Amino acid sequence: MPRAKMPIYTNIEDLRRHYARRTPKMFYDYAESGSWTEQTFRENTSDFQHIHLKQRVAVDMAGRTTRSQMIGEDVAMPVALAPVGLTGMQSADGEIKAARAAEAFGVPYTLSTMSICSIEDVAEHTTKPFWFQVYTLKDDDFMRRLFERAKAANCSAIVVTVDLQVLGQRHKDIKNGLSAPPKLTARSIADMATKIPWGLEMLRTKRRSFGNIVGHAKGVSDPSSLSTWTAEAFDVSLDWKRIAQFKEWWGGKLIVKGIMAPEDARRAAEIGADAIIVSNHGGRQLDGAVSSIRMLPAIMDAVGDDVEVHLDSGIRSGQDVLKALALGAKGTYIGRAYTYGLGAAGEAGVTRALEIIHKELDVTMALCGETDVKNLGKHNLYVPRGFDDPTVKL
Ligand SMILES: Cc1cc2nc3c(=O)[nH]c(=O)nc-3n(C[C@H](O)[C@H](O)[C@H](O)COP(=O)(O)O)c2cc1C
């Protein structure tokens, strides 16, 4: 069957708008929300706008490159796909589609523990190693088996998410009765009836529940017992000793995700993390936390070159990527930006999101008079006084 021509998407916001029309409300709301008042969710994006760029002219802009490295791996641009739970509900087999798009583009893909497609599913449909994100769970047995499965799937790094010992509340998920597969209620059926292409694709796949968990965790043989498992499984008493233990068990490259304080960044460097991600989980955990981009300078000061620093939360454009890199991050991640693309147009939509961000990064770099993404620095920016001090109102 010939594929419908893709609409013209010129920016990430175009993808978001189309995604909103195409995807059941329950899953759109799941992605497009933050915890409680959503203050941090909003500020993650708006704080980027306080930083201005320094335009340069009459600089030879030929032969530009966005190529770089993240944890020693070559990347076409320093923008990885962040772990996003339930990606396979935004579009059928969504994790496989996103991983394939990332591989073709030459950027890292991070698979979430809470994915619909399993580690094995994604490995089977890709040819290069991807990264695997783990939540810190109490069950040692399950954790060890997750590491073994990730190793068998040839994952080249583990991303340990440390900011979810307890779950931040997103009001809409409760009101919508979020679940995977979606529960059939009068409301959800009425909504899905308006999302026919999404539904038809979903009927064609068998992957509609949590592929890494169902059938693997004790006592979770069918999806209905999963919510109980999630509530009970997360390790409330997580500490640095435990994170160091994961490093030992895994024995490979390890990235600590969810760092928002200079002290915590230092601790991560001390346990020998290969990288940290300055992240507030896209504003989904501690509402009222400072935006990631505003925390970046203090964290850079605290760790210097002791550990590679990455950043996520709020990136919606190549300009945002450039600002994070110029403030010292070696790599960035996008969560919602590619999820919008996936929901709008599947694998091609993820590719489109990456193309948009790449082009914006490349052109912005050029107009700042830079030809190599690795040379970006504070000299490219006008950062308002007090930006690095969250007590100062911008
Ligand atoms: C819908 C959704 C689901 C997410 N699921 C996970 C997850 O399973 N594990 C995780 O470590 N982070 C998860 N995150 C956080 C992302 O990895 C990332 O930190 C965040 O999306 C970055 O912010 P951005 O969406 O503004 O780019 C999720 C984010 C979204 C939007």
Side-chain angles (χ1 to χ4, degrees), residues 70-193:
M70 289 171 76
I71 56 163
E73 295 184 14
D74 290 334
V75 292
M77 62 175 170
V79 180
L81 302 195
V84 168
L86 274 75
T87 304
M89 282 291 131
Q90 305 293 358
S91 172
D93 303 331
E95 289 88 1
I96 292 174
K97 290 173 179 166
R100 289 168 65 97
E103 177 174 323
F105 207 90
V107 295
Y109 172 70
T110 321
L111 179 72
S112 162
T113 306
M114 306 306 280
S115 58
I116 302 296
C117 302
S118 67
I119 312 175
E120 293 79 9
D121 277 339
V122 174
E124 217 173 281
H125 291 86
T126 50
T127 62
K128 295 211 186 98
F130 55 95
W131 298 349
F132 182 61
Q133 175 262 329
V134 291
Y135 276 120
T136 53
L137 310 172
K138 278 185 286 204
D139 183 346
D140 275 5
D141 230 39
F142 182 70
M143 288 301 287
R144 276 179 184 274
R145 264 185 292 125
L146 265 188
F147 289 144
E148 275 162 26
R149 291 171 63 196
K151 234 176 242 145
N154 202 21
C155 291
S156 56
I158 281 285
V159 175
V160 182
T161 299
V162 294
D163 61 4
L164 208 133
Q165 275 157 280
V166 293
L167 194 65
Q169 176 171 312
R170 294 181 301 272
H171 302 312
K172 285 181 230 162
D173 290 352
I174 297 173
K175 290 182 174 124
N176 290 332
L178 176 74
S179 67
K183 280 186 204 81
L184 297 179
T185 62
R187 220 170 118 208
S188 74
I189 292 170
D191 179 43
M192 283 190 274

Side-chain angles (χ1 to χ4, degrees), residues 27 30-33 41 44-45 82-86 90 112-115 133-135 159 161 163 257 279-284 312-316 333-337 339:
F27 300 116
Y30 168 62
E32 197 55 12
S33 53
F41 172 52
N44 274 338
T45 46
V84 168
L86 274 75
Q90 305 293 358
S112 162
T113 306
M114 306 306 280
S115 58
Q133 175 262 329
V134 291
Y135 276 120
V159 175
T161 299
D163 61 4
K257 175 174 186 280
S279 168
N280 53 37
H281 218 106
R284 298 164 76 80
D312 78 18
S313 299
I315 293 178
R316 301 288 183 273
Y333 298 72
I334 49 172
R336 293 182 182 86
T339 304

Side-chain angles (χ1 to χ4, degrees), residues 35-36 40 163 168 280-281 283-290:
S35 51
W36 286 327
T40 301
D163 61 4
N280 53 37
H281 218 106
R284 298 164 76 80
Q285 281 295 96
L286 177 62
D287 183 42
V290 182

